Amino acid sequence: MTTAESGFVELDDVSLRYGGTAGVLALENVSLKVAQGEFVAVVGPSGCGKSTLMKVMSGLWPPSRGRAIVAGHVVTRPLSIVGMAFQNASLLPWRTTLNNVMLPLEIVQPHRSAIKRRREEYESKARELLHIVGLEEFASHLPWQLSGGMQQRASLCRALVHEPALLMLDEPFGALDMFTREELWSVLQDVWMARRPTVILVTHDIREAVFLADRVFVMSARPGRIVAEQVVPLPRPRTLEDTFNPEFTALVHDLREHIGHARSQGRELP
Ligand SMILES: Nc1ncnc2c1ncn2[C@@H]1O[C@H](COP(=O)(O)OP(=O)(O)O)[C@@H](O)[C@H]1O
Ligand SMILES: [Mg+2]
């Protein structure tokens, strides 16, 4: 099976109910395909099942029905080819920026076995990432010495250091102010263009989705279903200036309408 035909990430009629038959139906009949190297965004109202979708794709939670396929394999356990970042940067407070970024190399194979021998090489990899996100001078700082935006940059580096084929970002900029958030859109775009991992970005910020993604999926209110899909044909690299173009604002407007429909379509089942 080639991933080009089947999608690098594929959800095949996935439903997920938390906590048995009387539990919460979080996802219902979700199917989607993401090509290798593609950047997709998933937008939807709070509580609609976006994080649940990520848990299924990364193997952290099994679906009740259907399946997830990543890189040609059905997902049955947590995947090591995934890099993740969340709303909370969750850096270890006693580790320097550099050592936080290097953490996955100490955990994920084959790096774990090699890190003692190849420490210098790994360290320069981590420093290179810090350079891309503009944090090279803060490599020896501790998390409390960094601003929220800087912590989130470090968290992005940590998600990328083991060169994951798949990057999953769950509202990574949600806790930041608008200026910092928009600055980090460009940083993330740079990293993606330099390395081209497959990216799945969950966000409730429609402008963020349009700025970053090749394609945007809209989810309904719970139980989460994919109710719309929008290609973003804007050339790259995209700049903040571009967000004022009529083409950009029209896309944002269209998606906003889809989400308006999606909200009213939510059935709020138990
Ligand atoms: N571990 C869990 N057990 C029970 N219900 C959960 C669990 N995780 C999430 N939920 C519920 O599933 C629904 C979807 O949650 P989530 O995927 O976190 O939504 P989102 O990320 O879109 O805000 C919510 O109603 C939430 O309360
Ligand atoms: Mg969430």
Side-chain angles (χ1 to χ4, degrees), residues 198-230:
T198 306
V199 181
I200 303 186
L201 167 74
V202 159
T203 177
H204 54 239
D205 183 339
I206 304 172
R207 291 174 63 248
E208 180 169 296
V210 173
F211 185 95
L212 284 164
D214 298 318
R215 205 147 50 101
V216 181
F217 292 103
V218 177
M219 278 177 83
S220 68
R222 188 166 65 79
R225 284 162 295 125
I226 305 288
V227 290
E229 187 186 323
Q230 174 85 58

mmCIF file of all heavy atoms in Angstrom, residues 198-230:
data_model
loop_
_atom_site.group_PDB
_atom_site.id
_atom_site.type_symbol
_atom_site.label_atom_id
_atom_site.label_comp_id
_atom_site.label_asym_id
_atom_site.label_seq_id
_atom_site.Cartn_x
_atom_site.Cartn_y
_atom_site.Cartn_z
ATOM 1 N N THR A 198 4.336 16.095 7.888
ATOM 2 C CA THR A 198 2.882 16.171 7.798
ATOM 3 C C THR A 198 2.409 16.826 9.094
ATOM 4 O O THR A 198 2.834 16.420 10.168
ATOM 5 C CB THR A 198 2.291 14.752 7.678
ATOM 6 O OG1 THR A 198 2.926 14.087 6.589
ATOM 7 C CG2 THR A 198 0.788 14.794 7.466
ATOM 8 N N VAL A 199 1.568 17.852 8.974
ATOM 9 C CA VAL A 199 1.127 18.554 10.187
ATOM 10 C C VAL A 199 -0.385 18.500 10.326
ATOM 11 O O VAL A 199 -1.114 18.736 9.355
ATOM 12 C CB VAL A 199 1.565 20.041 10.184
ATOM 13 C CG1 VAL A 199 1.099 20.735 11.468
ATOM 14 C CG2 VAL A 199 3.061 20.177 10.036
ATOM 15 N N ILE A 200 -0.839 18.190 11.518
ATOM 16 C CA ILE A 200 -2.249 18.321 11.853
ATOM 17 C C ILE A 200 -2.354 19.315 12.999
ATOM 18 O O ILE A 200 -1.827 19.086 14.086
ATOM 19 C CB ILE A 200 -2.855 16.968 12.221
ATOM 20 C CG1 ILE A 200 -2.613 16.045 11.035
ATOM 21 C CG2 ILE A 200 -4.346 17.117 12.554
ATOM 22 C CD1 ILE A 200 -3.211 14.721 11.082
ATOM 23 N N LEU A 201 -2.978 20.440 12.692
ATOM 24 C CA LEU A 201 -3.098 21.527 13.661
ATOM 25 C C LEU A 201 -4.554 21.658 14.085
ATOM 26 O O LEU A 201 -5.428 21.851 13.246
ATOM 27 C CB LEU A 201 -2.635 22.838 13.011
ATOM 28 C CG LEU A 201 -2.977 24.124 13.765
ATOM 29 C CD1 LEU A 201 -2.089 24.306 14.986
ATOM 30 C CD2 LEU A 201 -2.850 25.343 12.843
ATOM 31 N N VAL A 202 -4.797 21.534 15.363
ATOM 32 C CA VAL A 202 -6.131 21.770 15.899
ATOM 33 C C VAL A 202 -6.177 23.186 16.444
ATOM 34 O O VAL A 202 -5.272 23.610 17.159
ATOM 35 C CB VAL A 202 -6.439 20.760 17.026
ATOM 36 C CG1 VAL A 202 -7.550 21.268 17.922
ATOM 37 C CG2 VAL A 202 -6.806 19.418 16.446
ATOM 38 N N THR A 203 -7.199 23.923 16.063
ATOM 39 C CA THR A 203 -7.290 25.310 16.535
ATOM 40 C C THR A 203 -8.746 25.764 16.531
ATOM 41 O O THR A 203 -9.578 25.207 15.811
ATOM 42 C CB THR A 203 -6.452 26.246 15.637
ATOM 43 O OG1 THR A 203 -6.608 27.589 16.087
ATOM 44 C CG2 THR A 203 -6.856 26.163 14.182
ATOM 45 N N HIS A 204 -9.074 26.755 17.370
ATOM 46 C CA HIS A 204 -10.392 27.355 17.191
ATOM 47 C C HIS A 204 -10.261 28.732 16.553
ATOM 48 O O HIS A 204 -11.233 29.465 16.447
ATOM 49 C CB HIS A 204 -11.182 27.379 18.509
ATOM 50 C CG HIS A 204 -10.457 28.035 19.623
ATOM 51 N ND1 HIS A 204 -10.160 27.389 20.794
ATOM 52 C CD2 HIS A 204 -9.938 29.262 19.742
ATOM 53 C CE1 HIS A 204 -9.502 28.205 21.588
ATOM 54 N NE2 HIS A 204 -9.348 29.357 20.965
ATOM 55 N N ASP A 205 -9.051 29.057 16.087
ATOM 56 C CA ASP A 205 -8.798 30.339 15.449
ATOM 57 C C ASP A 205 -8.810 30.146 13.927
ATOM 58 O O ASP A 205 -7.893 29.546 13.352
ATOM 59 C CB ASP A 205 -7.433 30.850 15.922
ATOM 60 C CG ASP A 205 -7.091 32.221 15.364
ATOM 61 O OD1 ASP A 205 -7.680 32.618 14.333
ATOM 62 O OD2 ASP A 205 -6.224 32.883 15.944
ATOM 63 N N ILE A 206 -9.860 30.655 13.283
ATOM 64 C CA ILE A 206 -10.037 30.421 11.848
ATOM 65 C C ILE A 206 -8.930 31.090 11.034
ATOM 66 O O ILE A 206 -8.428 30.531 10.061
ATOM 67 C CB ILE A 206 -11.412 30.940 11.374
ATOM 68 C CG1 ILE A 206 -12.512 30.283 12.210
ATOM 69 C CG2 ILE A 206 -11.636 30.643 9.904
ATOM 70 C CD1 ILE A 206 -13.876 30.859 11.953
ATOM 71 N N ARG A 207 -8.519 32.281 11.457
ATOM 72 C CA ARG A 207 -7.452 32.974 10.727
ATOM 73 C C ARG A 207 -6.155 32.177 10.799
ATOM 74 O O ARG A 207 -5.407 32.090 9.828
ATOM 75 C CB ARG A 207 -7.246 34.385 11.279
ATOM 76 C CG ARG A 207 -8.432 35.301 10.964
ATOM 77 C CD ARG A 207 -8.303 36.664 11.624
ATOM 78 N NE ARG A 207 -7.151 37.400 11.157
ATOM 79 C CZ ARG A 207 -6.080 37.684 11.906
ATOM 80 N NH1 ARG A 207 -6.018 37.301 13.171
ATOM 81 N NH2 ARG A 207 -5.084 38.363 11.398
ATOM 82 N N GLU A 208 -5.915 31.600 11.979
ATOM 83 C CA GLU A 208 -4.723 30.763 12.134
ATOM 84 C C GLU A 208 -4.763 29.575 11.162
ATOM 85 O O GLU A 208 -3.769 29.243 10.520
ATOM 86 C CB GLU A 208 -4.667 30.259 13.582
ATOM 87 C CG GLU A 208 -3.502 29.375 13.905
ATOM 88 C CD GLU A 208 -3.410 29.156 15.421
ATOM 89 O OE1 GLU A 208 -3.181 30.146 16.151
ATOM 90 O OE2 GLU A 208 -3.590 28.012 15.870
ATOM 91 N N ALA A 209 -5.929 28.958 11.062
ATOM 92 C CA ALA A 209 -6.088 27.802 10.173
ATOM 93 C C ALA A 209 -5.818 28.197 8.723
ATOM 94 O O ALA A 209 -5.094 27.519 7.996
ATOM 95 C CB ALA A 209 -7.489 27.214 10.313
ATOM 96 N N VAL A 210 -6.380 29.342 8.308
ATOM 97 C CA VAL A 210 -6.219 29.769 6.913
ATOM 98 C C VAL A 210 -4.775 30.195 6.642
ATOM 99 O O VAL A 210 -4.215 29.915 5.581
ATOM 100 C CB VAL A 210 -7.207 30.908 6.568
ATOM 101 C CG1 VAL A 210 -6.929 31.475 5.186
ATOM 102 C CG2 VAL A 210 -8.645 30.414 6.657
ATOM 103 N N PHE A 211 -4.164 30.856 7.613
ATOM 104 C CA PHE A 211 -2.774 31.295 7.433
ATOM 105 C C PHE A 211 -1.851 30.096 7.222
ATOM 106 O O PHE A 211 -0.960 30.115 6.372
ATOM 107 C CB PHE A 211 -2.298 32.084 8.654
ATOM 108 C CG PHE A 211 -0.923 32.680 8.488
ATOM 109 C CD1 PHE A 211 -0.773 33.983 8.047
ATOM 110 C CD2 PHE A 211 0.222 31.935 8.755
ATOM 111 C CE1 PHE A 211 0.489 34.538 7.876
ATOM 112 C CE2 PHE A 211 1.487 32.479 8.588
ATOM 113 C CZ PHE A 211 1.625 33.791 8.147
ATOM 114 N N LEU A 212 -2.079 29.042 7.989
ATOM 115 C CA LEU A 212 -1.099 27.955 8.033
ATOM 116 C C LEU A 212 -1.403 26.763 7.120
ATOM 117 O O LEU A 212 -0.477 26.121 6.625
ATOM 118 C CB LEU A 212 -0.954 27.461 9.476
ATOM 119 C CG LEU A 212 -0.125 28.382 10.377
ATOM 120 C CD1 LEU A 212 -0.348 28.061 11.849
ATOM 121 C CD2 LEU A 212 1.363 28.269 10.027
ATOM 122 N N ALA A 213 -2.668 26.463 6.919
ATOM 123 C CA ALA A 213 -2.990 25.145 6.351
ATOM 124 C C ALA A 213 -3.124 25.129 4.839
ATOM 125 O O ALA A 213 -3.416 26.139 4.198
ATOM 126 C CB ALA A 213 -4.273 24.623 6.979
ATOM 127 N N ASP A 214 -2.899 23.937 4.275
ATOM 128 C CA ASP A 214 -3.234 23.677 2.875
ATOM 129 C C ASP A 214 -4.720 23.361 2.743
ATOM 130 O O ASP A 214 -5.327 23.567 1.703
ATOM 131 C CB ASP A 214 -2.466 22.448 2.358
ATOM 132 C CG ASP A 214 -0.967 22.646 2.384
ATOM 133 O OD1 ASP A 214 -0.522 23.739 2.007
ATOM 134 O OD2 ASP A 214 -0.246 21.701 2.783
ATOM 135 N N ARG A 215 -5.250 22.818 3.822
ATOM 136 C CA ARG A 215 -6.642 22.364 3.803
ATOM 137 C C ARG A 215 -7.185 22.456 5.224
ATOM 138 O O ARG A 215 -6.470 22.177 6.178
ATOM 139 C CB ARG A 215 -6.678 20.900 3.351
ATOM 140 C CG ARG A 215 -7.953 20.423 2.724
ATOM 141 C CD ARG A 215 -7.642 19.360 1.656
ATOM 142 N NE ARG A 215 -6.769 18.325 2.153
ATOM 143 C CZ ARG A 215 -7.193 17.106 2.544
ATOM 144 N NH1 ARG A 215 -8.468 16.804 2.491
ATOM 145 N NH2 ARG A 215 -6.327 16.196 2.967
ATOM 146 N N VAL A 216 -8.434 22.878 5.340
ATOM 147 C CA VAL A 216 -9.052 23.047 6.661
ATOM 148 C C VAL A 216 -10.295 22.165 6.750
ATOM 149 O O VAL A 216 -11.145 22.194 5.861
ATOM 150 C CB VAL A 216 -9.463 24.513 6.899
ATOM 151 C CG1 VAL A 216 -10.088 24.689 8.274
ATOM 152 C CG2 VAL A 216 -8.263 25.453 6.732
ATOM 153 N N PHE A 217 -10.362 21.377 7.821
ATOM 154 C CA PHE A 217 -11.564 20.595 8.099
ATOM 155 C C PHE A 217 -12.363 21.310 9.182
ATOM 156 O O PHE A 217 -11.794 21.788 10.167
ATOM 157 C CB PHE A 217 -11.210 19.200 8.620
ATOM 158 C CG PHE A 217 -10.550 18.324 7.596
ATOM 159 C CD1 PHE A 217 -9.180 18.103 7.625
ATOM 160 C CD2 PHE A 217 -11.303 17.715 6.605
ATOM 161 C CE1 PHE A 217 -8.569 17.292 6.679
ATOM 162 C CE2 PHE A 217 -10.703 16.901 5.656
ATOM 163 C CZ PHE A 217 -9.328 16.685 5.690
ATOM 164 N N VAL A 218 -13.672 21.356 8.990
ATOM 165 C CA VAL A 218 -14.547 21.953 10.004
ATOM 166 C C VAL A 218 -15.306 20.841 10.706
ATOM 167 O O VAL A 218 -15.920 19.990 10.055
ATOM 168 C CB VAL A 218 -15.551 22.934 9.363
ATOM 169 C CG1 VAL A 218 -16.506 23.497 10.412
ATOM 170 C CG2 VAL A 218 -14.823 24.053 8.643
ATOM 171 N N MET A 219 -15.263 20.858 12.043
ATOM 172 C CA MET A 219 -16.014 19.867 12.815
ATOM 173 C C MET A 219 -17.274 20.476 13.394
ATOM 174 O O MET A 219 -17.311 21.654 13.743
ATOM 175 C CB MET A 219 -15.150 19.318 13.959
ATOM 176 C CG MET A 219 -14.201 18.234 13.514
ATOM 177 S SD MET A 219 -13.156 17.689 14.870
ATOM 178 C CE MET A 219 -14.249 16.516 15.667
ATOM 179 N N SER A 220 -18.313 19.645 13.516
ATOM 180 C CA SER A 220 -19.573 20.072 14.132
ATOM 181 C C SER A 220 -19.414 20.053 15.640
ATOM 182 O O SER A 220 -18.472 19.468 16.171
ATOM 183 C CB SER A 220 -20.680 19.099 13.743
ATOM 184 O OG SER A 220 -20.430 17.848 14.358
ATOM 185 N N ALA A 221 -20.362 20.681 16.336
ATOM 186 C CA ALA A 221 -20.428 20.521 17.791
ATOM 187 C C ALA A 221 -20.644 19.039 18.092
ATOM 188 O O ALA A 221 -21.064 18.268 17.229
ATOM 189 C CB ALA A 221 -21.562 21.363 18.357
ATOM 190 N N ARG A 222 -20.353 18.645 19.312
ATOM 191 C CA ARG A 222 -20.389 17.248 19.708
ATOM 192 C C ARG A 222 -21.738 16.599 19.404
ATOM 193 O O ARG A 222 -22.766 17.218 19.697
ATOM 194 C CB ARG A 222 -20.091 17.168 21.211
ATOM 195 C CG ARG A 222 -19.914 15.773 21.738
ATOM 196 C CD ARG A 222 -19.300 15.824 23.102
ATOM 197 N NE ARG A 222 -20.175 16.471 24.074
ATOM 198 C CZ ARG A 222 -21.211 15.856 24.650
ATOM 199 N NH1 ARG A 222 -21.487 14.616 24.345
ATOM 200 N NH2 ARG A 222 -21.956 16.485 25.514
ATOM 201 N N PRO A 223 -21.780 15.356 18.924
ATOM 202 C CA PRO A 223 -20.613 14.541 18.595
ATOM 203 C C PRO A 223 -19.903 15.042 17.343
ATOM 204 O O PRO A 223 -20.534 15.326 16.332
ATOM 205 C CB PRO A 223 -21.213 13.149 18.361
ATOM 206 C CG PRO A 223 -22.615 13.402 17.921
ATOM 207 C CD PRO A 223 -23.045 14.668 18.624
ATOM 208 N N GLY A 224 -18.581 15.154 17.423
ATOM 209 C CA GLY A 224 -17.797 15.734 16.354
ATOM 210 C C GLY A 224 -17.883 14.928 15.056
ATOM 211 O O GLY A 224 -17.645 13.731 15.046
ATOM 212 N N ARG A 225 -18.271 15.643 14.018
ATOM 213 C CA ARG A 225 -18.229 15.070 12.672
ATOM 214 C C ARG A 225 -17.563 16.088 11.762
ATOM 215 O O ARG A 225 -17.574 17.285 12.068
ATOM 216 C CB ARG A 225 -19.652 14.798 12.171
ATOM 217 C CG ARG A 225 -20.307 13.564 12.775
ATOM 218 C CD ARG A 225 -21.811 13.581 12.613
ATOM 219 N NE ARG A 225 -22.383 14.684 13.382
ATOM 220 C CZ ARG A 225 -23.168 15.625 12.873
ATOM 221 N NH1 ARG A 225 -23.506 15.604 11.593
ATOM 222 N NH2 ARG A 225 -23.615 16.600 13.633
ATOM 223 N N ILE A 226 -16.993 15.638 10.644
ATOM 224 C CA ILE A 226 -16.433 16.595 9.679
ATOM 225 C C ILE A 226 -17.587 17.075 8.813
ATOM 226 O O ILE A 226 -18.208 16.282 8.113
ATOM 227 C CB ILE A 226 -15.359 15.934 8.780
ATOM 228 C CG1 ILE A 226 -14.261 15.280 9.626
ATOM 229 C CG2 ILE A 226 -14.791 16.943 7.795
ATOM 230 C CD1 ILE A 226 -13.332 16.226 10.317
ATOM 231 N N VAL A 227 -17.888 18.376 8.888
ATOM 232 C CA VAL A 227 -19.040 18.883 8.145
ATOM 233 C C VAL A 227 -18.628 19.721 6.937
ATOM 234 O O VAL A 227 -19.454 20.036 6.091
ATOM 235 C CB VAL A 227 -19.992 19.700 9.040
ATOM 236 C CG1 VAL A 227 -20.704 18.785 10.016
ATOM 237 C CG2 VAL A 227 -19.254 20.797 9.773
ATOM 238 N N ALA A 228 -17.362 20.098 6.849
ATOM 239 C CA ALA A 228 -16.923 20.858 5.683
ATOM 240 C C ALA A 228 -15.416 20.730 5.530
ATOM 241 O O ALA A 228 -14.704 20.411 6.497
ATOM 242 C CB ALA A 228 -17.299 22.329 5.835
ATOM 243 N N GLU A 229 -14.971 20.969 4.308
ATOM 244 C CA GLU A 229 -13.547 20.887 4.017
ATOM 245 C C GLU A 229 -13.233 22.015 3.053
ATOM 246 O O GLU A 229 -13.967 22.233 2.101
ATOM 247 C CB GLU A 229 -13.292 19.527 3.359
ATOM 248 C CG GLU A 229 -11.858 19.213 3.141
ATOM 249 C CD GLU A 229 -11.715 17.914 2.350
ATOM 250 O OE1 GLU A 229 -12.501 16.967 2.560
ATOM 251 O OE2 GLU A 229 -10.825 17.884 1.491
ATOM 252 N N GLN A 230 -12.181 22.751 3.337
ATOM 253 C CA GLN A 230 -11.872 23.929 2.528
ATOM 254 C C GLN A 230 -10.392 23.918 2.135
ATOM 255 O O GLN A 230 -9.528 23.888 3.011
ATOM 256 C CB GLN A 230 -12.188 25.180 3.361
ATOM 257 C CG GLN A 230 -11.790 26.480 2.741
ATOM 258 C CD GLN A 230 -12.857 27.003 1.804
ATOM 259 O OE1 GLN A 230 -13.990 27.217 2.220
ATOM 260 N NE2 GLN A 230 -12.497 27.183 0.555
#
